[in-house]
Amino acid sequence: MLKPEVEDGEVSLADPEFRADVLAGLATRPRAIPARWFYDRRGSELFEAITDLPEYYPTRTEVSLLDMAGEQIGAAVGTGRAVIEFGSGSSMKTPRLLRSIAPAAYVPIDISGEFLRHSAAALVDDFPDLAIHPVEANFMRPVPLPDAVAGAPKLGFFPGSTVGNLTPLAATDLLRTMRESLGEGAMLLIGIDRIKDEAVLVPAYDDAAGVTAAFNLNLLERINRELAGTIPVEAFAHRAIWNDAAARIEMHLEAQRDVAFGVDGRDFAMRAGETIHTENSHKYGPRDARVLLRAGGWTPIAEWTDPDDWFALILAEA
Ligand code: AVI
């Protein structure tokens, strides 16, 4: 049964998919909860704060690439395309792309209507003549696009290396799904984080100020808030590990002592040192990234990277 939750004076219902993922994830070995559940309101605020951290290089590197390559991207993409952004638009990245390519329309797709309204409203002042058609949908599945953009060729925009939060197999499926949603003649501009020195990668996911730790631990707080959990959050520590064999940063929550707690009326126990795996952030070498795109049905046609080769923006065509 759905239980109403009261938080900040708002009534919210625990998401049945969240409940199912948490209960199944705590019962499996190794324990794992999908990273998409980080992003409640508090988690989204903490993620915004992460993007400003000195250690978290991806956002500022990608933004500088968009600035540096803007003219070339504009020349390669041409004018008159409808830009379809997968995930709600970032106030830093989206305007830069829109300025470079003079699009026919902008279609942000996001599962959260609130984020969509926010990102659309943020663009109105800077782009008063741009037709914006927000679509509330889960872009992991094919998304029917608005009739208003039916005639225009499409440019998919998927920044932030969000693709890295999926396993390579799931990423391939998503790229194929995007190709299906965007249709014939489409292009895709995607941000992909590179494999690099562990000494750079680990601090990006375990910053000195503890913001990423708070982001990770907020998942436990969310479980307590929304699923009547009794998890002793203070008994868990944030861990960020570079898994070289899988070329990914893994985030875990590690029990610091033996703990017992309830979630939605079920009992769980963890030993000191046991972890809950909460996120993978896959990194790709230059060839791997191109192979990934090809496996997803896209042909890479141009690529921009920073001088350290820490992050890549890749343009591909269907
Ligand atoms: C959203 N995503 C691309 C981020 C990343 O870098 O994998 C999420 C994140 N997790 C911890 N810090 C940032």
Side-chain angles (χ1 to χ4, degrees):
M1 206 185 84
L2 295 177
K3 291 189 200 117
E5 289 264 324
V6 179
E7 191 201 334
D8 297 341
E10 274 178 33
V11 175
S12 66
L13 295 173
D15 185 321
E17 283 187 46
F18 179 45
R19 173 181 286 113
D21 278 354
V22 169
L23 293 177
L26 289 175
T28 62
R29 299 292 181 280
R31 298 175 208 259
I33 298 174
R36 70 184 177 112
W37 299 114
F38 280 140
Y39 301 92
D40 64 352
R41 185 175 303 195
R42 175 86 185 120
S44 301
E45 283 166 8
L46 286 165
F47 178 66
E48 279 303 309
I50 286 173
T51 64
D52 283 338
L53 290 169
E55 296 96 330
Y56 193 75
Y57 60 86
T59 308
R60 63 169 184 277
T61 310
E62 189 176 41
V63 166
S64 71
L65 284 175
L66 281 165
D67 282 343
M68 186 201 80
E71 260 179 48
Q72 290 174 28
I73 293 171
V77 165
T79 51
R81 285 188 182 261
V83 171
I84 317 296
E85 182 162 6
F86 296 96
S88 72
S90 135
S91 54
M92 300 276 283
K93 296 171 196 166
T94 313
R96 287 174 155 87
L97 176 68
L98 297 178
R99 246 173 240 124
S100 300
I101 71 160
Y106 172 60
V107 180
I109 304 174
D110 202 281
I111 202 155
S112 157
E114 191 188 331
F115 292 168
L116 270 178
R117 281 186 289 281
H118 182 80
S119 56
L123 287 172
V124 168
D125 285 350
D126 282 345
F127 301 91
D129 301 327
L130 180 66
I132 304 179
H133 306 281
V135 174
E136 199 171 327
N138 178 1
F139 61 72
M140 300 298 289
R141 303 185 193 121
V143 180
L145 297 178
D147 290 344
V149 299
K154 314 292 186 301
L155 171 69
F157 184 42
F158 194 36
S161 199
T162 303
V163 72
N165 294 131
L166 301 172
T167 63
L169 207 64
T172 306
D173 285 347
L174 175 61
L175 290 166
R176 289 193 172 275
T177 301
M178 287 176 169
R179 195 180 181 287
E180 194 181 326
S181 298
L182 295 172
E184 284 307 306
M187 295 177 115
L188 177 69
L189 184 65
I190 185 169
I192 299 189
D193 197 8
R194 292 282 208 229
I195 297 172
K196 61 185 67 61
D197 200 322
E198 201 175 326
V200 176
L201 282 166
V202 171
Y205 292 82
D206 194 4
D207 56 284
V211 182
T212 312
F215 174 70
N216 199 5
L217 288 160
N218 178 60
L219 180 62
L220 300 181
E221 277 152 17
R222 180 176 186 188
I223 293 170
N224 284 350
R225 278 196 298 268
E226 297 183 22
L227 300 175
T230 60
I231 303 173
V233 179
E234 76 294 340
F236 284 82
H238 165 67
R239 296 283 176 251
I241 300 155
W242 172 243
N243 177 337
D244 196 56
R248 68 189 189 204
I249 285 281
E250 294 180 4
M251 296 210 314
H252 293 257
L253 290 161
E254 184 187 272
Q256 301 301 285
R257 54 175 167 84
D258 291 357
V259 286
F261 54 86
V263 175
D264 196 39
R266 305 233 195 125
D267 294 328
F268 297 93
M270 290 176 67
R271 289 276 187 204
E274 247 194 276
T275 76
I276 306 169
H277 187 172
T278 50
E279 188 180 58
N280 290 318
S281 195
H282 291 86
K283 312 300 172 188
Y284 289 89
R287 279 172 63 103
D288 310 328
R290 291 194 290 268
V291 168
L292 177 75
L293 280 161
R294 284 189 188 277
W298 295 92
T299 305
I301 56 169
E303 186 167 315
W304 296 272
T305 60
D306 53 295
D308 296 317
D309 200 17
W310 277 5
F311 199 92
L313 262 181
I314 304 180
L315 183 66
E317 62 189 10

